[in-house]
């Protein structure tokens, strides 16, 4: 799992979940508490509510992405960006906070990054093909939301396979963060579609990149508890936020910063220890891994979705010397397990017996592999 630096704030496994507060400078946006059309209002809101309540990132919206509202051209966003830059310059705080610009246009992203924004939140998933180049030219992180290649239709995807295909389309920059695009982006996407995606959120970790979730006050959550009105959906949003952190989300985008921060920190502190898998010889057991998660990891890493039947344990092993990595891969394949190769890391899966055989085969070959073998044996012992 990559760690991405966002304005000096590390985002990824082994770091606390980051809270992204929403500041809309789009007067047509539908959630009134986040809308502040004048710089004076926006500065006060950013200082006294978002930052004071614990936001790590402030996401500034220049137009509504709600399909009920009209699409606006880049010229409108550029006019509003001038106000957003003035707000960012005027905000005074002793806290570390990063600034995100939500846009679908590369020219808006370019000017925002030149003006001091730290990250781009592209809600159209690089429908503008110049977006990744602009972000790379500025050495800036970018959130790629799953969307079709249509600048006017953010999030218009239905099935989880459609979403994976959209995220893979056009590749990634070195500093890409992914957003699976929860919500009701168009009528064909149902509550059931969102529920299914939520249940399978861990599968998005197969990309090895930090994940953003944005489910705050969404109707697909309110429906479960018979809370159809937005103002009554805070409790269901907080319940979802805890599960998002547990299932691998690294940034939680929210209109309710203080409450979401608290539940996210508790979920992180009491949840599974994922550690930092890109540290040398760091072994992270992926607890509760389902067969579909294994298949997704194999498909993303190896171009194949054919894991060994009966896989019961999965591990993510951090960077190893090349000879050790080759030995671990060979031992896993010889034992009948499955291995996926990522950016420096290895994804291993197999039965308890298979992985014990792997541990025996590599133990003693080097200090790093002995550490790996010890952690695999310990996990196998817990599951025997």
């Amino acid at each position: 799992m990559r760690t991405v630096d966002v304005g000096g704030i590390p985002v990824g496994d082994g770091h606390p979940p980051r809270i992204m507060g929403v500041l809309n400078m789009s007067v047509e946006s539908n959630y009134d508490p986040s809308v502040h059309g004048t710089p004076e209002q926006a500065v006060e809101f950013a200082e006294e509510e978002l930052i004071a309540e614990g936001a790590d990132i402030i996401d500034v919206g220049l137009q509504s992405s709600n399909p009920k509202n009209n699409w606006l051209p880049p010229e409108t966003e550029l006019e509003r960006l001038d106000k957003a830059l003035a707000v960012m310059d005027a905000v005074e705080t002793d806290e570390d906070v990063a600034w995100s610009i939500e846009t679908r246009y590369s020219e808006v992203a370019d000017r925002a990054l030149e003006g001091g924004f730290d990250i781009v939140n592209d809600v159209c998933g690089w429908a503008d093909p110049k977006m990744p180049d602009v972000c790379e030219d500025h050495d800036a992180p970018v959130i790629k939301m799953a969307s079709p290649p249509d600048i006017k239709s953010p999030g218009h995807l239905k099935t989880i396979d459609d979403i994976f295909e959209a995220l893979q389309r056009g590749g990634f920059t070195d500093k890409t963060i992914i957003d699976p695009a929860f919500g009701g982006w168009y009528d064909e996407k149902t509550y059931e579609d969102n529920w299914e995606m939520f249940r399978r959120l861990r599968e998005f970790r197969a990309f090895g990149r930090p994940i953003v979730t944005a489910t705050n006050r969404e109707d697909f959550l309110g429906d479960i508890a018979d809370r159809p009105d937005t103002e009554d959906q805070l409790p269901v949003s907080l319940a979802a936020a805890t599960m998002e952190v547990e299932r691998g989300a690294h940034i939680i985008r929210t209109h309710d910063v203080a409450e979401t921060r608290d539940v996210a920190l508790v979920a992180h502190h009491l949840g599974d220890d994922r550690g930092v898998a890109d540290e040398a010889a760091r072994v992270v057991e992926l607890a509760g891994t389902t067969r579909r998660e294994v298949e997704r990891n194999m498909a993303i890493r190896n171009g194949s979705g054919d894991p060994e039947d009966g896989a019961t344990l999965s591990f993510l092993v951090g960077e190893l010397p090349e000879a050790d990595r080759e030995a671990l891969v060979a031992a896993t394949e010889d034992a009948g397990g499955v291995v996926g190769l990522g950016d420096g890391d290895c994804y291993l899966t197999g039965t308890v017996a298979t992985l014990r055989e792997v541990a025996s085969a590599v133990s003693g070959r080097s200090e790093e592999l002995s550490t790996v073998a010890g952690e695999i044996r310990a996990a196998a012992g817990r599951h025997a």
Side-chain angles (χ1 to χ4, degrees):
M1 176 65 68
R2 292 171 184 248
T3 294
V4 175
D5 183 280
V6 180
I9 300 170
V11 175
D13 284 357
H15 302 286
R18 306 305 182 183
I19 305 303
M20 174 182 275
V22 181
L23 169 59
N24 283 319
M25 302 199 71
S26 44
V27 293
E28 71 279 359
S29 291
N30 297 84
Y31 189 65
D32 289 343
S34 71
V35 177
H36 299 277
T38 69
E40 295 77 16
Q41 291 175 332
V43 168
E44 181 179 358
F45 179 70
E47 291 179 348
E48 298 184 8
E49 296 195 40
L50 298 181
I51 297 173
E53 292 182 358
D56 301 293
I57 305 167
I58 296 175
D59 190 37
V60 181
L62 301 178
Q63 73 166 292
S64 172
S65 56
N66 190 313
K68 297 176 183 177
N69 295 320
N70 293 329
W71 161 81
L72 300 175
E75 291 76 16
T76 302
E77 285 201 2
L78 287 168
E79 291 174 5
R80 293 175 176 181
L81 176 60
D82 290 336
K83 294 181 180 179
L85 290 167
V87 170
M88 185 179 65
D89 290 340
V91 167
E92 297 181 1
T93 178
D94 295 328
E95 304 297 328
D96 292 330
V97 62
W99 288 82
S100 167
I101 192 71
E102 181 190 293
T103 184
R104 62 196 73 184
Y105 302 118
S106 61
E107 59 262 53
V108 178
D110 187 37
R111 188 184 296 182
L113 293 170
E114 285 181 355
F117 274 84
D118 300 294
I119 182 172
V120 175
N121 183 8
D122 182 355
V123 294
C124 282
W126 300 353
D128 182 337
K130 296 180 181 179
M131 183 66 83
D133 290 338
V134 165
C135 294
E136 286 187 319
D137 288 346
H138 287 277
D139 193 27
V142 54
I143 298 168
K144 184 181 186 182
M145 194 179 90
S147 290
D150 181 350
I151 206 76
K152 296 183 181 181
S153 302
H156 277 49
L157 300 167
K158 182 174 175 62
T159 72
I160 194 165
D161 288 330
D162 291 340
I163 291 165
F164 268 87
E165 289 175 10
L167 287 171
Q168 289 175 283
R169 187 188 64 246
F172 304 98
T173 68
D174 285 342
K175 296 183 178 181
T176 299
I177 297 169
I178 61 171
D179 179 349
F182 285 104
W185 295 100
Y186 68 133
D187 291 342
E188 285 76 9
K189 188 165 186 178
T190 65
Y191 293 164
E192 288 79 5
D193 294 324
N194 279 285
W195 297 338
E196 175 70 4
M197 188 164 69
F198 197 104
R199 294 186 184 103
R200 298 174 63 179
L201 180 59
R202 286 191 187 94
E203 290 181 36
F204 290 92
R205 290 179 56 82
F207 287 112
R209 299 173 181 277
I211 300 169
V212 175
T213 53
T215 65
N216 183 245
R217 297 183 185 265
E218 286 285 351
D219 288 343
F220 80 88
L221 297 175
D223 183 76
I224 297 170
D226 193 24
R227 299 293 185 188
D229 297 328
T230 301
E231 59 267 26
D232 297 329
Q233 291 173 352
L234 176 59
V236 296
S237 300
L238 298 180
T242 63
M243 299 176 73
E244 289 158 33
V245 172
E246 178 66 21
R247 296 178 186 193
H250 303 93
I251 298 175
I252 310 297
R253 186 178 183 274
T254 180
H255 297 281
D256 303 293
V257 169
E259 298 89 343
T260 304
R261 171 190 175 275
D262 289 355
V263 300
L265 289 175
V266 170
H268 173 72
H269 189 82
L270 299 180
D272 293 333
D273 175 23
R274 294 189 183 90
V276 182
D278 57 4
E279 291 179 358
R282 170 72 190 189
V283 181
V284 180
E285 182 187 358
L286 305 177
T289 307
T290 67
R291 182 179 178 84
R292 284 191 300 204
E293 290 171 55
V294 175
E295 291 172 343
R296 188 70 69 178
N297 268 277
M298 293 301 109
I300 295 294
R301 293 165 180 268
N302 290 351
S304 159
D306 186 23
E308 195 76 8
D309 284 339
T312 56
L313 291 182
S314 296
F315 297 92
L316 195 59
V317 182
E319 291 185 358
L320 291 168
E322 186 61 29
D324 287 349
R325 179 176 158 110
E326 290 176 357
L328 181 61
V329 170
T332 303
E333 292 176 343
D334 288 347
V338 182
V339 59
L341 301 178
D343 269 347
D345 61 20
C346 300
Y347 177 89
L348 310 179
T349 188
T351 64
V352 171
T354 294
L355 291 170
R356 277 180 168 161
E357 186 176 335
V358 172
S360 296
V362 301
S363 183
R365 294 180 65 103
S366 70
E367 182 177 350
E368 288 87 352
L369 284 177
S370 293
T371 299
V372 172
E375 297 207 25
I376 290 175
R377 282 198 188 101
R382 291 194 295 271
H383 294 279

